[in-house]
Amino acid sequence: MTAAGRAVLTRRVRPMVVAIVACAAWLALGLAPAAAVAAPVTVGLFAPSAPFPSTGARVELANRLGAALGKALGKPAAGRVYSRAADFAAAVKKGEVTIALVDASYLASVVSGNTVIAVALVADDQPSRAWRLVGRAGTPLGALKGKRLLVPSVGGRETDFVVNVLLGGDVGRDYFEKIEPAPDTASALAALGLGKADGAVVPAAGDLPAGTAELLALPALPNPVLVAYGVQLTADDRQAVLEAATAFKGDATIAGFRAADADAVRGLARRFYTASKQGPFAVPAARPAVTELAQGRTFAIERTPAATFAIAPALK
């Protein structure tokens, strides 16, 4: 191609290239804000201990909660239920979960970057719920020694949860044959009712399967808590989430929310470890003066004659 031909081609191609680049830049500027606004917020639900009657009830609450919190943030939101601790932990690690309703016992057993916003309330507006050990009706409590128990999943620390948190370390870790995780409270009770376990440790709520009964009342624990993960939410966003949560009307399992911080979770975390138990002892409160201690006492050293330390030489 001659120099004149190349010049003509350049004059024709250059405007086309400029137009394409400008169009691409315009599209990028026009679509980027829309894409950012359209980024959905995932509201996760991982609360195996919450005594929902069915998986459908969990999904319904997650969807309703996601819609309420998304509206407060001005963003599309979707609720998602996680049935396994590993799946939930992986989603959090990937940054896929923005807000979540999580069991306080799970949060206390793992180290994760979250900000507690609110605590769930049960029907009587209480932020905690008692637990119970359930077994076959008429079974003595001692008969469960060496037996298999089920408990809603705590992410791998089920034995610490039952033995230390709920039983206060009063029995050894080998007292029960196995303490295994169940997907949720309903599953644990169903397995007990079908004879697939000897006992179940669950929140004290709802009816028990036929042929079973509460064998031991256990302490109350905090209800699931609403938390924000990572740095995706600003302080204003978290305030908006709190206001939406406290106005949220739930169901028979999660009635609503109340503002909370991480104190309850931290207190629960300390109970996962065996407490050092010591017998009672008394410390005298008396503080006598030096003059009282010295009164009537003699502090002189009595002199002993030197002959006491000598004997007469033997005579030959």
Side-chain angles (χ1 to χ4, degrees), residues 183-234:
D184 50 44
T185 292
S187 298
L189 291 176
L192 176 62
L194 294 173
K196 296 181 178 180
D198 302 296
V201 178
V202 295
D207 298 329
L208 297 177
T212 67
E214 179 180 307
L215 304 183
L216 180 65
L218 299 173
L221 298 180
N223 290 330
V225 292
L226 191 68
V227 298
Y229 282 98
V231 294
Q232 301 179 48
L233 298 183
T234 65

Side-chain angles (χ1 to χ4, degrees), residues 3 17 62 74 82 92 173 191 197 207 221 243 261 264 273 304 309:
V17 173
Y82 295 87
V92 170
R173 294 176 63 86
D207 298 329
L221 298 180
E243 293 175 359
D261 54 27
Y273 300 92
T304 303
F309 306 101

Side-chain angles (χ1 to χ4, degrees), residues 286-313:
R287 296 182 179 179
V290 175
T291 54
E292 295 177 359
L293 294 175
Q295 187 176 2
R297 298 175 182 270
T298 301
F299 295 97
I301 299 177
E302 185 179 353
R303 294 182 177 275
T304 303
T308 304
F309 306 101
I311 60 175

Side-chain angles (χ1 to χ4, degrees), residues 72-152:
L73 294 172
K75 300 178 181 179
R80 181 173 181 183
V81 175
Y82 295 87
S83 59
R84 298 197 316 148
D87 295 338
F88 178 72
V92 170
K93 186 176 182 180
K94 294 177 182 177
E96 297 174 354
V97 178
T98 309
I99 307 168
L101 180 60
V102 191
D103 269 349
S105 54
Y106 171 78
L107 287 181
S109 69
V110 299
V111 178
S112 58
N114 61 74
T115 302
V116 176
I117 298 176
V119 61
L121 303 176
V122 292
D124 54 358
D125 288 340
Q126 294 300 312
S128 62
R129 192 194 302 266
W131 283 59
R132 57 187 173 183
L133 173 59
V134 181
R136 292 288 171 190
T139 301
L141 183 61
L144 289 181
K145 182 177 181 180
K147 301 298 183 179
R148 176 172 172 262
L149 297 187
L150 292 178
V151 63

